[in-house]
C-alpha cells in the first residue's frame, strides 16, 4: 500500500507540473526564466532613460527661440550649448548593446547626461523683455505720420528710413516678449527714435537754410551801398557774408552751421557804421575829450582853493560836492574815450 501511495504522489506532482508549465516544458526550463526576465529589465531600464533624455533634449531645442536662452548671460548660455552638443552626440552614437551589463552601463551614462542637461537648462537666467516702450512708439507713429507737419515736410529718404524702422518695429513686437532678445528690442526702439529725430532735424535744417538764403539776399543790398560804411565795420560784415554763402552752398552743412552763421551775419550787420555817423562820433569824442580835460583843470583848481581856510569855511561843502560830481563825469568820459581808443 505504501509503495502504491508513493507512486500516486509522484504521478500527482508530475500532472500538476505539466498543467502549470504546459506540455514539453521541464523544471530545468522553469529555473532559466528569471535570467531572461533580468536581461529584459536592464534593457527596458536603458530604453526608458534613453527616451527620457531624448524627449528632454527635444524640449530643450525649443529654448533656443525662448527668452530663457536668448536673454541669458553668456556663461550659462555657453554651458547649455556645450551640454546640448554632448547630449546630441550621445543620442546619435551607435552603441550595439547586447549584454545586460552593457545596458546597465549605458543607462547610467544616460542618467548622468540627463542630470547635466537639466542642470544646464535650470541655470539659464534670461528674462522676458518689457515691450511697453516699443508699443508706445508704434502707437505714436500713427499720429506722427498722419498729422505731424515734420513728417509731411521731411525729405523722402528720411521718411523711408522712418517707415522702415516702424515696419521692423512691428515685426519685433509681434514676436512676443517670450521670443524676443533684449538686443533686438533695444535696436528696434533706437532705430525708431533716431529715424524720428532725423526727420525733425532735417525739417529744421531746411528751414534754417531757407532763412539763411533770405538773410544773404538782404545782405546783398548792403553790398550795393558799401561805400556808405566805415572800412573796418564793412570788412567784418563782408567776411560774415562770404562765410554765409559758403555754408549755404556746402551740401554737408548742418543745422548748427546754418544757425551759427545767421547769428554772425546779423551781428555783423548790426555792427555796420555809416561814414557820416563815424565823422559825427569822431567830432563828439574830440569835444568830450576837451571837456574832460577842462573838468580836470577845474578839479585841480578847486582842490587848491580848499587849502585856504576862509574859502574852505564858507564854500567847502559846495566845492566838495562839485568835486564828487566831477569825479563821476571824468570816470565815465574815460571809459567812452578808452572804448574808441582815444586815451
Amino acid at each position: 500500500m505504501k509503495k502504491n501511495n508513493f507512486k500516486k504522489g509522484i504521478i500527482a506532482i508530475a500532472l500538476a507540473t505539466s498543467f502549470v508549465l504546459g506540455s514539453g516544458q521541464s523544471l530545468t526550463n522553469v529555473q532559466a526564466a528569471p535570467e531572461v526576465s533580468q536581461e529584459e529589465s536592464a534593457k527596458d531600464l536603458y530604453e526608458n532613460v534613453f527616451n527620457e533624455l531624448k524627449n528632454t533634449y527635444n524640449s530643450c531645442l525649443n529654448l533656443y527661440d525662448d527668452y530663457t536662452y536668448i536673454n541669458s548671460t553668456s556663461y550659462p548660455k555657453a554651458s547649455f550649448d556645450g551640454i546640448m552638443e554632448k547630449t546630441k552626440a550621445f543620442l546619435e552614437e551607435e552603441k550595439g548593446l547586447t549584454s545586460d551589463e552593457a545596458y546597465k552601463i549605458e543607462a547610467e551614462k544616460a542618467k548622468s547626461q540627463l542630470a547635466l542637461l537639466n542642470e544646464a537648462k535650470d541655470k539659464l537666467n534670461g528674462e522676458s523683455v518689457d515691450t511697453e516702450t516699443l508699443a508706445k512708439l508704434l502707437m505714436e507713429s500713427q499720429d506722427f505720420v498722419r498729422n505731424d507737419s515734420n513728417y509731411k515736410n521731411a525729405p523722402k529718404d528720411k521718411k523711408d528710413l522712418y517707415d522702415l524702422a516702424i515696419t521692423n518695429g512691428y515685426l519685433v513686437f509681434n514676436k512676443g516678449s517670450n521670443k524676443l532678445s533684449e538686443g533686438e528690442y533695444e535696436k528696434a526702439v533706437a532705430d525708431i527714435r533716431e529715424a524720428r529725430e532725423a526727420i525733425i532735424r532735417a525739417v529744421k535744417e531746411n528751414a534754417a537754410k531757407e532763412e539763411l538764403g533770405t538773410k544773404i539776399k538782404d545782405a546783398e543790398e548792403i553790398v550795393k551801398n558799401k561805400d556808405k560804411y566805415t572800412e573796418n565795420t564793412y570788412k567784418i560784415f563782408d567776411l560774415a557774408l562770404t562765410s554765409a554763402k559758403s555754408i549755404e552752398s556746402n551740401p554737408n552743412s548742418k543745422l548748427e552751421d546754418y544757425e551759427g552763421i545767421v547769428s554772425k551775419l546779423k551781428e555783423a550787420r548790426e555792427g555796420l557804421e555809416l561814414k557820416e555817423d563815424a565823422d559825427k562820433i569822431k567830432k563828439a569824442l574830440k569835444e568830450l575829450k576837451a571837456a574832460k580835460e577842462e573838468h580836470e583843470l577845474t578839479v585841480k583848481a578847486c582842490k587848491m582853493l580848499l587849502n585856504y581856510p576862509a574859502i574852505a569855511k564858507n564854500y567847502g561843502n559846495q566845492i566838495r560836492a562839485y568835486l564828487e560830481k566831477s569825479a563821476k563825469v571824468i570816470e565815465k568820459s574815460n571809459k567812452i574815450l578808452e572804448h574808441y581808443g582815444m586815451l
Side-chain angles (χ1 to χ4, degrees):
M1 288 292 295
K2 291 181 178 180
K3 288 182 178 181
N4 290 334
N5 289 337
F6 179 73
K7 289 180 179 179
K8 288 179 179 180
I10 292 174
I11 293 170
I13 291 172
L15 289 172
T17 302
S18 175
F19 177 77
V20 173
L21 299 179
S23 61
Q25 290 193 0
S26 64
L27 289 175
T28 304
N29 291 334
V30 172
Q31 292 173 356
E35 295 181 6
V36 173
S37 176
Q38 290 174 5
E39 184 174 339
E40 289 176 350
S41 177
K43 181 179 180 181
D44 289 343
L45 175 63
Y46 164 74
E47 289 178 348
N48 288 337
V49 177
F50 183 88
N51 288 332
E52 183 179 359
L53 177 61
K54 184 177 181 180
N55 291 335
T56 302
Y57 172 80
N58 290 332
S59 175
C60 286
L61 287 175
N62 296 325
L63 292 178
Y64 285 112
D65 293 323
D66 188 86
Y67 71 88
T68 308
Y69 173 86
I70 294 172
N71 296 325
S72 181
T73 51
S74 57
Y75 182 78
K77 186 184 287 188
S79 177
F80 179 80
D81 291 342
I83 297 299
M84 285 290 285
E85 286 296 322
K86 290 181 179 179
T87 302
K88 180 183 179 182
F90 179 84
L91 293 173
E92 293 176 349
E93 180 185 2
E94 292 289 339
K95 298 181 174 57
L97 306 178
T98 57
S99 68
D100 179 64
E101 187 63 24
Y103 279 117
K104 287 181 180 180
I105 291 172
E106 289 302 316
E108 289 302 318
K109 289 182 181 179
K111 285 181 182 179
S112 176
Q113 194 64 34
L114 178 61
L116 291 173
L117 183 56
N118 282 325
E119 181 182 7
K121 177 184 70 174
D122 292 341
K123 285 184 178 180
L124 291 173
N125 54 11
E127 297 181 356
S128 63
V129 177
D130 182 0
T131 57
E132 181 180 354
T133 300
L134 180 57
K136 185 179 179 182
L137 288 172
L138 293 173
M139 289 293 293
E140 290 174 349
S141 70
Q142 298 177 25
D143 182 67
F144 184 69
V145 171
R146 292 172 186 168
N147 304 316
D148 198 288
S149 60
N150 286 300
Y151 182 86
K152 292 178 180 179
N153 296 325
K156 184 178 183 302
D157 62 323
K158 296 294 188 284
K159 285 183 180 179
D160 290 343
L161 284 175
Y162 181 76
D163 294 344
L164 181 61
I166 292 298
T167 300
N168 183 62
Y170 275 110
L171 292 174
V172 170
F173 183 80
N174 289 335
K175 281 188 174 183
S177 58
N178 288 343
K179 293 186 177 182
L180 188 58
S181 72
E182 291 179 355
E184 187 178 21
Y185 171 77
E186 290 171 359
K187 185 178 186 303
V189 169
D191 286 349
I192 292 174
R193 284 176 171 167
E194 289 174 6
R196 179 170 177 152
E197 289 171 3
I199 282 178
I200 295 172
R201 183 179 179 84
V203 172
K204 285 183 177 180
E205 282 185 357
N206 287 339
K209 186 175 182 179
E210 289 178 4
E211 181 185 6
L212 177 59
T214 301
K215 298 297 182 184
I216 290 174
K217 287 181 180 179
D218 293 343
E220 294 289 358
E221 294 300 316
I222 294 175
V223 174
K224 295 176 182 178
N225 301 296
K226 62 181 180 179
D227 293 337
K228 293 169 58 177
Y229 302 99
T230 61
E231 183 179 355
N232 288 337
T233 60
Y234 182 80
K235 186 180 294 184
I236 294 172
F237 172 80
D238 188 51
L239 286 172
L241 179 58
T242 302
S243 296
K245 290 179 179 179
S246 175
I247 289 173
E248 183 191 33
S249 62
N250 186 350
N252 296 319
S253 294
K254 305 298 181 185
L255 175 63
E256 294 78 10
D257 300 323
Y258 297 130
E259 292 178 339
I261 196 59
V262 165
S263 177
K264 288 181 179 179
L265 189 58
K266 179 183 177 183
E267 183 180 348
R269 180 169 181 170
E270 291 175 349
L272 284 170
E273 293 179 359
L274 291 169
K275 289 180 178 179
E276 182 180 348
D277 293 340
D279 292 338
K280 290 179 180 179
I281 291 172
K282 189 175 181 180
K283 181 180 178 182
L285 288 172
K286 288 181 178 179
E287 292 174 354
L288 176 63
K289 187 175 183 181
K292 186 202 77 153
E293 290 172 350
E294 287 181 10
H295 253 294
E296 289 173 339
L297 288 173
T298 304
V299 166
K300 187 176 181 180
C302 288
K303 287 181 179 180
M304 291 177 63
L305 289 174
L306 288 174
N307 293 326
Y308 296 93
I311 295 176
K313 181 179 180 181
N314 295 319
Y315 303 102
N317 291 336
Q318 293 171 300
I319 292 173
R320 279 187 283 271
Y322 173 79
L323 289 173
E324 185 177 347
K325 289 181 181 179
S326 293
K328 292 180 179 178
V329 171
I330 292 170
E331 182 182 0
K332 289 182 179 179
S333 299
N334 284 334
K335 287 182 179 179
I336 294 172
L337 293 169
E338 183 180 6
H339 175 74
Y340 286 95
M342 294 187 66
L343 270 184

